[in-house]
Amino acid sequence: MVSDLFNKTKEKMEKTLEHYKTELKSVRTGRASVSLFDNIKVDYYGTPTPLSQVAALNAEPRMIIIQPWEPSMIKPIEKAILTSNLGLTPSNDGRVIRVPIPPLTEERRKEIVKLVKKMSEEAKIAIRNERRDAIEKLKKMEKDKEISEDDNKKGAEQIQKLTDEYIKKIDEVTEKKEKEIMEI
């Protein structure tokens, strides 16, 4: 009973961590990375389609080169990039789209770090909510005489250790991303 709850809680916390990591990929750093475009959807004949499914993306030191598989996709891809809130301006030569990645100013880096800290806090809140839900389930199980008081306490301790472990993982991922953002 308690181990099932522990495993389900761990699974949910792992999903929260993975979601946070995925969100961080779309946060801009000073270098060109195709992962910046992971969340961009292009209007492909009326269907929102991930950019990577309609074009080849290549990263150069300060530029992303996007080569659409169909020339007619150049305009929709440019539009998707412009409306993506990445603050990037694409240009095309009729065959490929070039997206220069300008170096970040110190001020902009600090703003991005603040955004990352906010995202980190939201992920931690989600982890703590998982902990709260699990502990409430333990209390209910004890109240319903499904587990003993000792099992409830041991379960709550395990859930707390798990929570601490995932909060630490989020902090590590955040710290790594902040270093990436602040390096020139």
Side-chain angles (χ1 to χ4, degrees), residues 14-122:
E14 187 61 37
K15 282 182 183 170
T16 300
L17 178 64
E18 289 308 311
H19 176 73
Y20 175 59
K21 287 178 179 177
T22 303
E23 273 189 318
L24 280 184
K25 284 182 183 174
S26 66
V27 173
R28 205 176 133 205
T29 61
R31 357 186 155 104
S33 167
V34 294
S35 63
L36 274 176
F37 299 90
D38 285 353
N39 297 329
I40 293 182
K41 301 267 192 271
V42 179
D43 181 23
Y44 185 68
Y45 300 107
T47 306
T49 307
L51 178 57
S52 60
Q53 291 181 14
V54 297
L57 288 88
N58 295 305
E60 291 182 0
R62 290 255 174 239
M63 185 170 298
I64 303 289
I65 308 293
I66 302 170
Q67 186 152 20
W69 290 311
E70 296 175 31
S72 63
M73 291 307 297
I74 286 180
K75 287 289 178 218
I77 291 171
E78 279 188 321
K79 183 179 178 200
I81 293 168
L82 286 168
T83 59
S84 69
N85 290 335
L86 287 175
L88 300 173
T89 310
S91 64
N92 79 74
D93 63 7
R95 291 188 348 238
V96 296
I97 299 168
R98 288 180 174 74
V99 185
I101 308 294
L104 296 169
T105 63
E106 186 69 22
E107 186 181 323
R108 182 71 180 126
R109 287 176 196 274
K110 287 177 180 170
E111 285 174 24
I112 293 171
V113 166
K114 279 183 191 171
L115 173 71
V116 167
K117 285 184 190 284
K118 182 175 179 259
M119 292 165 70
S120 164
E121 198 48 49
E122 288 169 2

